[in-house]
Amino acid sequence: MPRAQETAVYTHGHHESVLRSHTWRTAANSAAYLLGSLKPHMRILDIGCGPGTITADLAELVPKGHVTGVDHAPGVLEQARATAAARGLDNTDFAVADVHALDFPDDTFCVVHAHQVLQHVGDPVQALREMRRVTRPGGYIAVRDADYAAMTWYPALPGLDAWLDLYERVARANGGEPDAGRRLRAWALAAGLRDVTATSGTWTFATSEERAWWSGLWADRTLASAYAERATGGGHATAEQLRAVSEAWREWGSREDGWFAVLHGEILCRKEA
């Protein structure tokens, strides 16, 4: 029987406004729930590594080990390799992979990590089965995903309500689940994992610099990324509606009292020995 393959379409693409967000991510701000379980000798698989900033941080935390970063998009891996090279890391490698059918033997890695991945895949339960398969007995599967419906902000601008409604419709039309954070534990149990610790974490944007950065990347992404093309091409929004959403992001970013919180679900699963 053929193994499952990726069927969903990555909603965001790799426009500069998307990579602006991805390159901001670090192990500290995006994988803190995992860091206490790492040991210097560990071999780690970082799924959906993107431009490699989290991958490089993980590699520095396992100096006697090795980190393999994989992504479904070949183009972004050149940036990941450049990130590792710029930091002088010799314990990393990178490859193209589909999380539904990983090209690694059983029981290969001490840790299999995925940040903001399962919300974009066609079959998250199958993805977790594959992650479990390539994890060594006693090792960890670590997953963190945002939950869009749980994001909250102030002030209550109607344009941001329109943004959230539009984003969720586009993401689901692409085969993903934007409210993945709340579902991670259920997906892990359905995948056969039993030792599952579920937590949550947040990103908060409130200072003038944080508001300018967060609002700017979403304002740009709404107009110029693959997400914008899929919103209009799929009949979810007109170009005029996208401009209105982009302007709402700019307005929120200019507000001195602006505040935005992104809730993430997290699971740290121990594979049975």
Side-chain angles (χ1 to χ4, degrees):
M1 184 180 211
R3 292 193 293 175
Q5 297 290 322
E6 177 61 275
T7 56
V9 175
Y10 180 46
T11 296
H12 298 285
H14 292 91
H15 183 264
E16 182 278 330
S17 60
V18 178
L19 294 178
R20 199 186 314 164
S21 171
H22 291 181
T23 55
W24 168 82
R25 297 172 184 173
T26 66
N29 67 30
S30 299
Y33 71 103
L34 166 64
L35 302 188
S37 300
L38 298 183
K39 306 297 182 186
H41 67 278
M42 283 181 160
R43 185 175 182 188
I44 300 174
L45 177 64
D46 187 21
I47 296 174
C49 67
T53 51
I54 296 176
T55 317
D57 284 353
L58 294 175
E60 290 181 342
L61 292 168
V62 292
K64 298 178 181 179
H66 190 89
V67 182
T68 296
V70 297
D71 203 281
H72 197 57
V76 77
L77 293 176
E78 288 307 310
Q79 187 169 343
R81 292 185 182 101
T83 298
R87 291 168 66 166
L89 297 168
D90 60 4
N91 62 336
T92 62
D93 69 300
F94 298 90
V96 175
D98 176 358
V99 68
H100 295 93
L102 294 168
D103 192 21
F104 299 103
D106 295 357
D107 305 336
T108 298
F109 298 96
C110 305
V111 176
V112 178
H113 168 262
H115 183 264
Q116 312 295 9
V117 172
L118 294 192
Q119 64 185 281
H120 298 295
V121 307
D123 189 342
V125 174
Q126 169 61 18
L128 282 161
R129 290 192 187 107
E130 274 292 273
M131 294 171 71
R132 177 181 179 273
R133 179 184 66 78
V134 302
T135 301
R136 294 174 181 173
Y140 296 95
I141 298 97
V143 179
R144 188 178 198 248
D145 267 278
D147 194 300
Y148 276 76
M151 294 184 188
T152 189
W153 58 84
Y154 185 88
L157 301 178
L160 292 191
D161 291 333
W163 159 75
L164 180 57
D165 174 70
L166 174 63
Y167 181 82
E168 294 220 318
R169 286 188 283 115
V170 172
R172 290 195 171 106
N174 287 338
E177 175 46 70
D179 302 341
R182 69 189 66 189
R183 292 171 165 81
L184 294 183
R185 186 172 186 275
W187 287 342
L189 294 174
L193 291 158
R194 290 294 173 262
D195 187 351
V196 180
T197 300
T199 55
S200 62
T202 58
W203 292 335
T204 303
F205 305 100
T207 68
S208 59
E209 294 81 8
E210 290 165 348
R211 293 195 314 273
W213 182 79
W214 184 243
S215 64
L217 69 86
W218 271 107
D220 292 344
R221 189 181 304 188
T222 299
L223 295 179
S225 68
Y227 160 65
E229 295 170 6
R230 288 163 185 147
T232 54
H236 305 288
T238 64
E240 182 179 354
Q241 288 171 324
L242 291 184
R243 284 193 295 271
V245 169
S246 180
E247 290 167 5
W249 273 111
R250 300 284 186 195
E251 179 184 355
W252 174 82
S254 71
R255 290 288 298 259
E256 186 178 359
D257 58 352
W259 178 90
F260 199 106
V262 179
L263 179 70
H264 301 85
E266 304 162 342
I267 52 170
L268 187 62
C269 312
R270 192 81 180 263
K271 182 175 177 177
E272 64 277 9

